[in-house]
């Protein structure tokens, strides 16, 4: 039975970030460091979809994702001299993205705690940010039940398409710690699935 | 759940570890068999490996981001490698500690036995290597931090505690508060400019967590003070070393973390 299903899952799973063209990303970043405008355009074009997906999924709505994406690029621009060509680029980018998101989240939470909610405005969704299938809606709901640290690891693994080592780099952690968090998250997700009789 | 099933579920976990970041790899025989039997794992595997839809970034937004970047685009000089940065911090630490110690009387060195001197110097050296390495890692986002910053601070604290207890005698403290207070004041007075100097050395880095940065800077500045006190103070006994010399390290680390936290809040308030 699983043979056919596996083909369905893995066969169509090109996974989110097109990693086949990833090898030239460091060269583009070096161009960015050297002040090449074409490298900037290309890097923004190549990396932004992956960042936007991460921000939209992590926030649960697309409302702030575009703002976070712009803020993240401002920070990437300011920090561009710290990128080392011998290191992989994506963990460098996602480390900045992670902290942009956390800062945005904390700022929003503080703002919301000071504001009195008068009326809820309709959410403005980013193009493509809506959860497109029932499975995705279910998965988003499952993720909400995970502790924050485990949720962050799963989000980065699934939506940023990073490996365990790259997530460890992006979160300033160790591979062992990321693996442990991921395995705890799998166990918790299994428990929830079992409880809900799925 | 039977133990056998538990082992098989773990085979799916291992499979997921392998697949993340390296998609399209064939499933192992064990995982394939288990996924045929376990509906729960099948669902989990599907959720985690299913393609997420691509996110279209509007050309307008892309153009705005690019234009913003290009407005102040100029060549930048890259940071030196992590090893070079760590070595620079280490050298500055040693030179500064040596300079300040030489300006004071080396009563501590005279009061210690060769074993005590060698043992505590090894602990202090380990601490400065760990902290300078940690600061160098923190300067670059996405570096592989083999020892996280807080772990480095904890190792330093534990090392000093154990080293002091093992190497030094417990004696009835003489003028405990009066003499201790003097050491604490001297230590803190030295830690403040040291922290500023280390901040100047690392300020080009892109620090993501300012609380962690503050704690590490506070710890390295505190360690410098502890080093100087260790070599210049003649009260080489456990209570004095732990309370007053150790106190400098604790206060400077906590103060650094609090300053870093405030700076982080300030930075967030400027978030567009």
């Amino acid at each position: 039975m699983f043979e056919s299903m596996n083909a369905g899952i893995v066969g169509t799973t090109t996974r989110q970030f097109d990693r086949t063209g990833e090898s030239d990303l460091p060269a583009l970043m070096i161009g960015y460091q050297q002040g090449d405008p074409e490298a900037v355009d290309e890097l923004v074009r190549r990396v932004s979809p992956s960042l936007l997906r991460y921000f939209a999924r992590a926030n649960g709505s697309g409302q702030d994702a575009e703002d976070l994406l712009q803020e993240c690029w401002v920070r990437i621009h300011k920090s561009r001299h710290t990128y080392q060509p011998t290191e992989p680029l994506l963990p460098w980018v996602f480390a900045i993205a992670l902290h942009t998101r956390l800062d945005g989240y904390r700022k929003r939470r503080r703002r919301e705690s000071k504001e009195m909610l008068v009326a809820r405005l309709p959410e403005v969704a980013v193009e493509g940010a809506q959860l497109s299938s029932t499975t995705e809606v279910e998965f988003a709901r499952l993720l909400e039940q995970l502790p924050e640290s485990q949720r962050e690891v799963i989000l980065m693994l699934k939506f940023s398409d990073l490996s365990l080592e790259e997530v460890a780099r992006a979160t300033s952690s160790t591979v062992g710690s990321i693996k442990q968090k991921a395995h705890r998250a799998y166990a918790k997700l299994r428990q929830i699935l079992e409880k809900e009789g799925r | 759940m039977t133990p056998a099933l538990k082992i098989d579920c773990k085979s799916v976990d291992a499979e997921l570890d392998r697949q993340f970041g390296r998609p399209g790899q064939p499933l192992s025989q064990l995982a394939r068999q288990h996924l045929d039997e376990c509906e729960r794992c099948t669902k989990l595997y599907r959720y985690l490996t299913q393609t997420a839809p691509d996110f279209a970034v509007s050309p307008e937004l892309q153009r705005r981001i690019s234009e913003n970047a290009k407005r102040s685009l100029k060549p930048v000089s890259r940071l030196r490698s992590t090893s070079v940065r760590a070595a620079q911090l280490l050298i500055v630490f040693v030179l500064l500690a040596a300079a300040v110690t030489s300006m004071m009387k080396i009563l501590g060195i005279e009061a210690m036995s060769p074993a005590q001197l060698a043992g505590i110097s090894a602990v202090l050296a380990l601490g400065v290597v760990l902290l300078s390495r940690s600061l160098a890692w923190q300067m670059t986002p996405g570096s592989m931090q083999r020892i996280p910053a807080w772990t480095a601070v904890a190792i330093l604290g534990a090392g000093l505690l154990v080293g002091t207890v093992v190497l030094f005698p417990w004696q009835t403290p003489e003028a405990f508060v009066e003499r201790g207070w003097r050491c604490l004041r001297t230590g803190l007075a030295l830690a403040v400019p040291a922290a500023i100097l280390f901040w100047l050395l690392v300020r080009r880095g892109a620090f993501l967590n300012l609380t962690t940065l503050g704690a590490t800077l506070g710890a390295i500045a505190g360690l410098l003070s502890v080093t100087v006190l260790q070599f210049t103070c003649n009260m080489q006994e456990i209570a004095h070393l732990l309370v007053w010399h150790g106190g400098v390290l604790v206060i400077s680390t906590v103060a650094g973390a609090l300053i870093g936290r405030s700076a982080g809040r300030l930075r967030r308030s400027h978030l567009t």
Side-chain angles (χ1 to χ4, degrees), chain A residues 2 5 13 15 33 41 71 77 81 84 107 138 158 183 190, chain B residues 13 17 23 36 42 47 49-50 70 72 76 78 204 271-272:
Chain A
F2 193 75
M5 200 196 77
T13 304
R15 292 191 60 101
Q33 289 178 325
D41 287 336
E71 175 65 27
H77 184 71
H81 64 284
Q84 301 286 313
K107 191 183 178 189
E138 280 175 15
K158 180 168 166 62
H183 284 211
R190 279 196 189 93
Chain B
D13 293 357
D17 291 346
D36 268 339
T42 306
Y47 281 137
T49 57
Q50 199 173 38
K70 282 190 259 182
S72 56
V76 285
R78 207 178 290 138
R204 275 198 82 217
L271 197 66
T272 48

PDB file of all heavy atoms in Angstrom, chain A residues 2 5 13 15 33 41 71 77 81 84 107 138 158 183 190, chain B residues 13 17 23 36 42 47 49-50 70 72 76 78 204 271-272:
ATOM      1  N   PHE A   2       1.916   1.225   0.858  1.00  0.00           N
ATOM      2  CA  PHE A   2       2.697   2.447   1.004  1.00  0.00           C
ATOM      3  C   PHE A   2       3.540   2.757  -0.231  1.00  0.00           C
ATOM      4  O   PHE A   2       3.855   3.910  -0.490  1.00  0.00           O
ATOM      5  CB  PHE A   2       3.592   2.389   2.243  1.00  0.00           C
ATOM      6  CG  PHE A   2       4.133   3.737   2.557  1.00  0.00           C
ATOM      7  CD1 PHE A   2       3.325   4.712   3.130  1.00  0.00           C
ATOM      8  CD2 PHE A   2       5.440   4.062   2.218  1.00  0.00           C
ATOM      9  CE1 PHE A   2       3.816   5.979   3.370  1.00  0.00           C
ATOM     10  CE2 PHE A   2       5.931   5.327   2.469  1.00  0.00           C
ATOM     11  CZ  PHE A   2       5.122   6.283   3.044  1.00  0.00           C
ATOM     12  N   MET A   5       1.608   5.179  -2.183  1.00  0.00           N
ATOM     13  CA  MET A   5       1.445   6.437  -1.478  1.00  0.00           C
ATOM     14  C   MET A   5       2.782   7.183  -1.402  1.00  0.00           C
ATOM     15  O   MET A   5       2.861   8.386  -1.556  1.00  0.00           O
ATOM     16  CB  MET A   5       0.928   6.171  -0.074  1.00  0.00           C
ATOM     17  CG  MET A   5       0.293   7.377   0.546  1.00  0.00           C
ATOM     18  SD  MET A   5       0.132   7.130   2.283  1.00  0.00           S
ATOM     19  CE  MET A   5       1.760   7.417   2.827  1.00  0.00           C
ATOM     20  N   THR A  13       7.278  15.504  -4.327  1.00  0.00           N
ATOM     21  CA  THR A  13       7.846  16.441  -3.364  1.00  0.00           C
ATOM     22  C   THR A  13       9.177  16.972  -3.856  1.00  0.00           C
ATOM     23  O   THR A  13      10.213  16.374  -3.639  1.00  0.00           O
ATOM     24  CB  THR A  13       8.019  15.756  -2.005  1.00  0.00           C
ATOM     25  OG1 THR A  13       6.749  15.265  -1.635  1.00  0.00           O
ATOM     26  CG2 THR A  13       8.485  16.718  -0.941  1.00  0.00           C
ATOM     27  N   ARG A  15      10.146  19.613  -2.710  1.00  0.00           N
ATOM     28  CA  ARG A  15      10.339  20.428  -1.514  1.00  0.00           C
ATOM     29  C   ARG A  15      10.516  21.893  -1.871  1.00  0.00           C
ATOM     30  O   ARG A  15      10.809  22.258  -2.974  1.00  0.00           O
ATOM     31  CB  ARG A  15      11.436  19.874  -0.630  1.00  0.00           C
ATOM     32  CG  ARG A  15      10.957  18.558  -0.041  1.00  0.00           C
ATOM     33  CD  ARG A  15      11.847  18.083   1.034  1.00  0.00           C
ATOM     34  NE  ARG A  15      11.891  19.068   2.095  1.00  0.00           N
ATOM     35  CZ  ARG A  15      11.216  18.972   3.219  1.00  0.00           C
ATOM     36  NH1 ARG A  15      10.425  17.969   3.419  1.00  0.00           N
ATOM     37  NH2 ARG A  15      11.325  19.880   4.136  1.00  0.00           N
ATOM     38  N   GLN A  33      28.164  41.774  -1.631  1.00  0.00           N
ATOM     39  CA  GLN A  33      29.180  42.403  -0.767  1.00  0.00           C
ATOM     40  C   GLN A  33      30.078  43.355  -1.559  1.00  0.00           C
ATOM     41  O   GLN A  33      30.565  44.338  -1.030  1.00  0.00           O
ATOM     42  CB  GLN A  33      30.044  41.333  -0.094  1.00  0.00           C
ATOM     43  CG  GLN A  33      29.303  40.540   0.978  1.00  0.00           C
ATOM     44  CD  GLN A  33      30.171  39.446   1.597  1.00  0.00           C
ATOM     45  OE1 GLN A  33      30.999  38.845   0.907  1.00  0.00           O
ATOM     46  NE2 GLN A  33      29.959  39.165   2.868  1.00  0.00           N
ATOM     47  N   ASP A  41      19.520  42.086  -7.208  1.00  0.00           N
ATOM     48  CA  ASP A  41      18.240  41.733  -7.840  1.00  0.00           C
ATOM     49  C   ASP A  41      18.032  40.220  -7.846  1.00  0.00           C
ATOM     50  O   ASP A  41      16.972  39.729  -7.494  1.00  0.00           O
ATOM     51  CB  ASP A  41      18.211  42.237  -9.299  1.00  0.00           C
ATOM     52  CG  ASP A  41      18.064  43.752  -9.365  1.00  0.00           C
ATOM     53  OD1 ASP A  41      17.548  44.331  -8.387  1.00  0.00           O
ATOM     54  OD2 ASP A  41      18.474  44.347 -10.380  1.00  0.00           O
ATOM     55  N   GLU A  71      11.640  44.031   6.328  1.00  0.00           N
ATOM     56  CA  GLU A  71      12.519  44.292   7.480  1.00  0.00           C
ATOM     57  C   GLU A  71      13.724  43.346   7.453  1.00  0.00           C
ATOM     58  O   GLU A  71      14.856  43.737   7.744  1.00  0.00           O
ATOM     59  CB  GLU A  71      11.716  44.111   8.781  1.00  0.00           C
ATOM     60  CG  GLU A  71      12.525  44.229  10.052  1.00  0.00           C
ATOM     61  CD  GLU A  71      13.130  45.611  10.299  1.00  0.00           C
ATOM     62  OE1 GLU A  71      12.559  46.597   9.803  1.00  0.00           O
ATOM     63  OE2 GLU A  71      14.177  45.682  10.974  1.00  0.00           O
ATOM     64  N   HIS A  77      20.850  43.530   4.515  1.00  0.00           N
ATOM     65  CA  HIS A  77      21.671  44.579   3.898  1.00  0.00           C
ATOM     66  C   HIS A  77      22.694  45.134   4.901  1.00  0.00           C
ATOM     67  O   HIS A  77      23.875  45.279   4.576  1.00  0.00           O
ATOM     68  CB  HIS A  77      20.746  45.684   3.382  1.00  0.00           C
ATOM     69  CG  HIS A  77      21.467  46.768   2.649  1.00  0.00           C
ATOM     70  ND1 HIS A  77      22.030  46.589   1.402  1.00  0.00           N
ATOM     71  CD2 HIS A  77      21.740  48.053   2.995  1.00  0.00           C
ATOM     72  CE1 HIS A  77      22.614  47.708   1.014  1.00  0.00           C
ATOM     73  NE2 HIS A  77      22.450  48.620   1.973  1.00  0.00           N
ATOM     74  N   HIS A  81      28.243  42.390   5.413  1.00  0.00           N
ATOM     75  CA  HIS A  81      29.703  42.226   5.558  1.00  0.00           C
ATOM     76  C   HIS A  81      30.061  41.045   6.466  1.00  0.00           C
ATOM     77  O   HIS A  81      31.200  40.626   6.512  1.00  0.00           O
ATOM     78  CB  HIS A  81      30.309  43.510   6.131  1.00  0.00           C
ATOM     79  CG  HIS A  81      29.819  43.821   7.512  1.00  0.00           C
ATOM     80  ND1 HIS A  81      28.567  44.335   7.744  1.00  0.00           N
ATOM     81  CD2 HIS A  81      30.386  43.664   8.720  1.00  0.00           C
ATOM     82  CE1 HIS A  81      28.405  44.496   9.049  1.00  0.00           C
ATOM     83  NE2 HIS A  81      29.497  44.089   9.661  1.00  0.00           N
ATOM     84  N   GLN A  84      30.396  34.966   5.493  1.00  0.00           N
ATOM     85  CA  GLN A  84      31.689  34.366   5.145  1.00  0.00           C
ATOM     86  C   GLN A  84      31.494  33.396   3.977  1.00  0.00           C
ATOM     87  O   GLN A  84      30.682  32.473   4.085  1.00  0.00           O
ATOM     88  CB  GLN A  84      32.254  33.572   6.326  1.00  0.00           C
ATOM     89  CG  GLN A  84      32.477  34.389   7.591  1.00  0.00           C
ATOM     90  CD  GLN A  84      33.689  35.313   7.495  1.00  0.00           C
ATOM     91  OE1 GLN A  84      34.765  34.916   7.066  1.00  0.00           O
ATOM     92  NE2 GLN A  84      33.492  36.561   7.876  1.00  0.00           N
ATOM     93  N   LYS A 107       7.250  42.670  19.439  1.00  0.00           N
ATOM     94  CA  LYS A 107       6.785  44.057  19.330  1.00  0.00           C
ATOM     95  C   LYS A 107       5.260  44.072  19.174  1.00  0.00           C
ATOM     96  O   LYS A 107       4.571  44.862  19.811  1.00  0.00           O
ATOM     97  CB  LYS A 107       7.450  44.735  18.134  1.00  0.00           C
ATOM     98  CG  LYS A 107       7.178  46.231  18.183  1.00  0.00           C
ATOM     99  CD  LYS A 107       7.704  46.993  17.033  1.00  0.00           C
ATOM    100  CE  LYS A 107       7.296  48.454  17.227  1.00  0.00           C
ATOM    101  NZ  LYS A 107       7.574  49.256  16.060  1.00  0.00           N
ATOM    102  N   GLU A 138      -5.041  21.370   8.641  1.00  0.00           N
ATOM    103  CA  GLU A 138      -4.890  20.395   9.735  1.00  0.00           C
ATOM    104  C   GLU A 138      -3.487  20.496  10.329  1.00  0.00           C
ATOM    105  O   GLU A 138      -3.304  20.496  11.540  1.00  0.00           O
ATOM    106  CB  GLU A 138      -5.082  18.964   9.210  1.00  0.00           C
ATOM    107  CG  GLU A 138      -6.529  18.574   9.033  1.00  0.00           C
ATOM    108  CD  GLU A 138      -6.640  17.191   8.388  1.00  0.00           C
ATOM    109  OE1 GLU A 138      -5.647  16.452   8.342  1.00  0.00           O
ATOM    110  OE2 GLU A 138      -7.747  16.876   7.913  1.00  0.00           O
ATOM    111  N   LYS A 158      10.431  22.270   7.782  1.00  0.00           N
ATOM    112  CA  LYS A 158       9.449  22.038   6.721  1.00  0.00           C
ATOM    113  C   LYS A 158       9.344  23.200   5.739  1.00  0.00           C
ATOM    114  O   LYS A 158       9.355  22.995   4.537  1.00  0.00           O
ATOM    115  CB  LYS A 158       8.068  21.748   7.328  1.00  0.00           C
ATOM    116  CG  LYS A 158       6.999  21.494   6.253  1.00  0.00           C
ATOM    117  CD  LYS A 158       5.737  20.939   6.795  1.00  0.00           C
ATOM    118  CE  LYS A 158       4.592  21.015   5.781  1.00  0.00           C
ATOM    119  NZ  LYS A 158       4.821  20.257   4.566  1.00  0.00           N
ATOM    120  N   HIS A 183      12.537  15.387  17.425  1.00  0.00           N
ATOM    121  CA  HIS A 183      12.004  14.075  17.814  1.00  0.00           C
ATOM    122  C   HIS A 183      10.905  14.215  18.869  1.00  0.00           C
ATOM    123  O   HIS A 183       9.927  13.476  18.851  1.00  0.00           O
ATOM    124  CB  HIS A 183      13.130  13.173  18.306  1.00  0.00           C
ATOM    125  CG  HIS A 183      13.960  12.637  17.168  1.00  0.00           C
ATOM    126  ND1 HIS A 183      14.582  11.427  17.190  1.00  0.00           N
ATOM    127  CD2 HIS A 183      14.261  13.178  15.956  1.00  0.00           C
ATOM    128  CE1 HIS A 183      15.234  11.236  16.044  1.00  0.00           C
ATOM    129  NE2 HIS A 183      15.057  12.296  15.297  1.00  0.00           N
ATOM    130  N   ARG A 190       2.446  12.701  17.131  1.00  0.00           N
ATOM    131  CA  ARG A 190       1.854  11.355  17.097  1.00  0.00           C
ATOM    132  C   ARG A 190       0.789  11.216  18.187  1.00  0.00           C
ATOM    133  O   ARG A 190      -0.277  10.666  17.954  1.00  0.00           O
ATOM    134  CB  ARG A 190       2.928  10.299  17.317  1.00  0.00           C
ATOM    135  CG  ARG A 190       3.705   9.969  16.084  1.00  0.00           C
ATOM    136  CD  ARG A 190       4.470   8.659  16.269  1.00  0.00           C
ATOM    137  NE  ARG A 190       5.372   8.463  15.168  1.00  0.00           N
ATOM    138  CZ  ARG A 190       6.647   8.849  15.149  1.00  0.00           C
ATOM    139  NH1 ARG A 190       7.167   9.434  16.191  1.00  0.00           N
ATOM    140  NH2 ARG A 190       7.396   8.628  14.087  1.00  0.00           N
TER     141      ARG A 190
ATOM    142  N   ASP B  13      11.289   8.541  12.343  1.00  0.00           N
ATOM    143  CA  ASP B  13      11.952   9.770  12.817  1.00  0.00           C
ATOM    144  C   ASP B  13      13.327   9.917  12.151  1.00  0.00           C
ATOM    145  O   ASP B  13      13.688  10.999  11.685  1.00  0.00           O
ATOM    146  CB  ASP B  13      12.160   9.732  14.344  1.00  0.00           C
ATOM    147  CG  ASP B  13      10.847   9.783  15.102  1.00  0.00           C
ATOM    148  OD1 ASP B  13       9.797   9.905  14.438  1.00  0.00           O
ATOM    149  OD2 ASP B  13      10.869   9.702  16.337  1.00  0.00           O
ATOM    150  N   ASP B  17      14.731  12.870   9.656  1.00  0.00           N
ATOM    151  CA  ASP B  17      16.004  13.584   9.863  1.00  0.00           C
ATOM    152  C   ASP B  17      16.826  13.584   8.575  1.00  0.00           C
ATOM    153  O   ASP B  17      17.459  14.568   8.222  1.00  0.00           O
ATOM    154  CB  ASP B  17      16.849  12.898  10.949  1.00  0.00           C
ATOM    155  CG  ASP B  17      16.241  13.049  12.330  1.00  0.00           C
ATOM    156  OD1 ASP B  17      15.333  13.890  12.479  1.00  0.00           O
ATOM    157  OD2 ASP B  17      16.657  12.322  13.253  1.00  0.00           O
ATOM    158  N   PRO B  23      15.857  16.463   0.014  1.00  0.00           N
ATOM    159  CA  PRO B  23      14.613  15.830  -0.399  1.00  0.00           C
ATOM    160  C   PRO B  23      14.812  14.791  -1.496  1.00  0.00           C
ATOM    161  O   PRO B  23      15.836  14.782  -2.177  1.00  0.00           O
ATOM    162  CB  PRO B  23      13.792  17.000  -0.918  1.00  0.00           C
ATOM    163  CG  PRO B  23      14.787  18.009  -1.335  1.00  0.00           C
ATOM    164  CD  PRO B  23      15.949  17.857  -0.423  1.00  0.00           C
ATOM    165  N   ASP B  36       3.635   1.235   6.026  1.00  0.00           N
ATOM    166  CA  ASP B  36       2.532   0.412   5.522  1.00  0.00           C
ATOM    167  C   ASP B  36       1.609  -0.043   6.651  1.00  0.00           C
ATOM    168  O   ASP B  36       0.430  -0.269   6.452  1.00  0.00           O
ATOM    169  CB  ASP B  36       3.089  -0.820   4.786  1.00  0.00           C
ATOM    170  CG  ASP B  36       3.247  -0.532   3.304  1.00  0.00           C
ATOM    171  OD1 ASP B  36       2.584   0.404   2.821  1.00  0.00           O
ATOM    172  OD2 ASP B  36       4.037  -1.242   2.647  1.00  0.00           O
ATOM    173  N   THR B  42       2.170   7.323   9.028  1.00  0.00           N
ATOM    174  CA  THR B  42       1.933   7.684   7.626  1.00  0.00           C
ATOM    175  C   THR B  42       1.444   9.124   7.548  1.00  0.00           C
ATOM    176  O   THR B  42       1.908   9.918   6.731  1.00  0.00           O
ATOM    177  CB  THR B  42       0.874   6.742   7.006  1.00  0.00           C
ATOM    178  OG1 THR B  42       1.306   5.416   7.219  1.00  0.00           O
ATOM    179  CG2 THR B  42       0.681   7.010   5.532  1.00  0.00           C
ATOM    180  N   TYR B  47       2.342  14.832   6.460  1.00  0.00           N
ATOM    181  CA  TYR B  47       2.292  16.241   6.868  1.00  0.00           C
ATOM    182  C   TYR B  47       3.649  16.920   6.717  1.00  0.00           C
ATOM    183  O   TYR B  47       3.760  18.042   6.256  1.00  0.00           O
ATOM    184  CB  TYR B  47       1.884  16.355   8.347  1.00  0.00           C
ATOM    185  CG  TYR B  47       0.410  16.205   8.629  1.00  0.00           C
ATOM    186  CD1 TYR B  47      -0.024  15.440   9.706  1.00  0.00           C
ATOM    187  CD2 TYR B  47      -0.561  16.835   7.852  1.00  0.00           C
ATOM    188  CE1 TYR B  47      -1.372  15.295  10.002  1.00  0.00           C
ATOM    189  CE2 TYR B  47      -1.907  16.697   8.142  1.00  0.00           C
ATOM    190  CZ  TYR B  47      -2.307  15.929   9.215  1.00  0.00           C
ATOM    191  OH  TYR B  47      -3.619  15.798   9.499  1.00  0.00           O
ATOM    192  N   THR B  49       6.400  15.977   4.983  1.00  0.00           N
ATOM    193  CA  THR B  49       7.178  15.968   3.736  1.00  0.00           C
ATOM    194  C   THR B  49       6.391  16.476   2.530  1.00  0.00           C
ATOM    195  O   THR B  49       6.954  16.609   1.456  1.00  0.00           O
ATOM    196  CB  THR B  49       7.699  14.550   3.404  1.00  0.00           C
ATOM    197  OG1 THR B  49       6.580  13.681   3.323  1.00  0.00           O
ATOM    198  CG2 THR B  49       8.665  14.045   4.448  1.00  0.00           C
ATOM    199  N   GLN B  50       5.117  16.745   2.743  1.00  0.00           N
ATOM    200  CA  GLN B  50       4.326  17.210   1.616  1.00  0.00           C
ATOM    201  C   GLN B  50       4.784  18.598   1.151  1.00  0.00           C
ATOM    202  O   GLN B  50       5.157  19.442   1.965  1.00  0.00           O
ATOM    203  CB  GLN B  50       2.865  17.297   2.047  1.00  0.00           C
ATOM    204  CG  GLN B  50       1.901  17.312   0.892  1.00  0.00           C
ATOM    205  CD  GLN B  50       0.475  17.219   1.404  1.00  0.00           C
ATOM    206  OE1 GLN B  50       0.137  17.807   2.429  1.00  0.00           O
ATOM    207  NE2 GLN B  50      -0.352  16.469   0.713  1.00  0.00           N
ATOM    208  N   LYS B  70      19.727  48.880  -3.055  1.00  0.00           N
ATOM    209  CA  LYS B  70      20.657  49.522  -4.003  1.00  0.00           C
ATOM    210  C   LYS B  70      20.909  50.992  -3.676  1.00  0.00           C
ATOM    211  O   LYS B  70      21.917  51.559  -4.069  1.00  0.00           O
ATOM    212  CB  LYS B  70      20.133  49.361  -5.433  1.00  0.00           C
ATOM    213  CG  LYS B  70      20.399  47.964  -5.981  1.00  0.00           C
ATOM    214  CD  LYS B  70      20.103  47.866  -7.441  1.00  0.00           C
ATOM    215  CE  LYS B  70      18.786  47.209  -7.686  1.00  0.00           C
ATOM    216  NZ  LYS B  70      18.432  47.019  -9.079  1.00  0.00           N
ATOM    217  N   SER B  72      21.765  52.293  -0.941  1.00  0.00           N
ATOM    218  CA  SER B  72      23.018  52.484  -0.170  1.00  0.00           C
ATOM    219  C   SER B  72      24.004  51.355  -0.463  1.00  0.00           C
ATOM    220  O   SER B  72      24.727  50.902   0.411  1.00  0.00           O
ATOM    221  CB  SER B  72      22.699  52.532   1.322  1.00  0.00           C
ATOM    222  OG  SER B  72      22.009  51.370   1.696  1.00  0.00           O
ATOM    223  N   VAL B  76      31.616  46.380   0.625  1.00  0.00           N
ATOM    224  CA  VAL B  76      31.899  46.351   2.066  1.00  0.00           C
ATOM    225  C   VAL B  76      33.097  45.436   2.325  1.00  0.00           C
ATOM    226  O   VAL B  76      33.321  44.481   1.578  1.00  0.00           O
ATOM    227  CB  VAL B  76      30.684  45.814   2.879  1.00  0.00           C
ATOM    228  CG1 VAL B  76      29.596  46.855   2.968  1.00  0.00           C
ATOM    229  CG2 VAL B  76      30.145  44.504   2.317  1.00  0.00           C
ATOM    230  N   ARG B  78      34.720  42.564   4.260  1.00  0.00           N
ATOM    231  CA  ARG B  78      34.187  41.420   4.991  1.00  0.00           C
ATOM    232  C   ARG B  78      34.876  41.260   6.349  1.00  0.00           C
ATOM    233  O   ARG B  78      36.044  41.638   6.497  1.00  0.00           O
ATOM    234  CB  ARG B  78      34.443  40.180   4.140  1.00  0.00           C
ATOM    235  CG  ARG B  78      33.501  39.063   4.356  1.00  0.00           C
ATOM    236  CD  ARG B  78      33.839  37.935   3.413  1.00  0.00           C
ATOM    237  NE  ARG B  78      33.539  38.242   2.029  1.00  0.00           N
ATOM    238  CZ  ARG B  78      34.327  37.931   1.000  1.00  0.00           C
ATOM    239  NH1 ARG B  78      35.466  37.320   1.195  1.00  0.00           N
ATOM    240  NH2 ARG B  78      33.978  38.232  -0.233  1.00  0.00           N
ATOM    241  N   ARG B 204      31.433  45.378  14.947  1.00  0.00           N
ATOM    242  CA  ARG B 204      31.104  45.206  13.524  1.00  0.00           C
ATOM    243  C   ARG B 204      30.278  43.948  13.267  1.00  0.00           C
ATOM    244  O   ARG B 204      29.775  43.740  12.177  1.00  0.00           O
ATOM    245  CB  ARG B 204      32.389  45.138  12.686  1.00  0.00           C
ATOM    246  CG  ARG B 204      32.929  46.490  12.311  1.00  0.00           C
ATOM    247  CD  ARG B 204      33.908  46.371  11.162  1.00  0.00           C
ATOM    248  NE  ARG B 204      33.253  46.292   9.868  1.00  0.00           N
ATOM    249  CZ  ARG B 204      33.670  45.537   8.860  1.00  0.00           C
ATOM    250  NH1 ARG B 204      34.729  44.774   8.997  1.00  0.00           N
ATOM    251  NH2 ARG B 204      33.029  45.522   7.712  1.00  0.00           N
ATOM    252  N   LEU B 271      11.756  48.878  14.973  1.00  0.00           N
ATOM    253  CA  LEU B 271      11.344  47.985  13.894  1.00  0.00           C
ATOM    254  C   LEU B 271      10.259  48.677  13.083  1.00  0.00           C
ATOM    255  O   LEU B 271       9.308  49.217  13.646  1.00  0.00           O
ATOM    256  CB  LEU B 271      10.780  46.701  14.512  1.00  0.00           C
ATOM    257  CG  LEU B 271      10.651  45.473  13.646  1.00  0.00           C
ATOM    258  CD1 LEU B 271      12.022  44.985  13.232  1.00  0.00           C
ATOM    259  CD2 LEU B 271       9.935  44.383  14.410  1.00  0.00           C
ATOM    260  N   THR B 272      10.428  48.664  11.784  1.00  0.00           N
ATOM    261  CA  THR B 272       9.445  49.374  10.942  1.00  0.00           C
ATOM    262  C   THR B 272       8.115  48.641  10.923  1.00  0.00           C
ATOM    263  O   THR B 272       8.058  47.453  11.001  1.00  0.00           O
ATOM    264  CB  THR B 272       9.962  49.481   9.495  1.00  0.00           C
ATOM    265  OG1 THR B 272      10.431  48.216   9.086  1.00  0.00           O
ATOM    266  CG2 THR B 272      11.029  50.512   9.404  1.00  0.00           C
TER     267      THR B 272
END
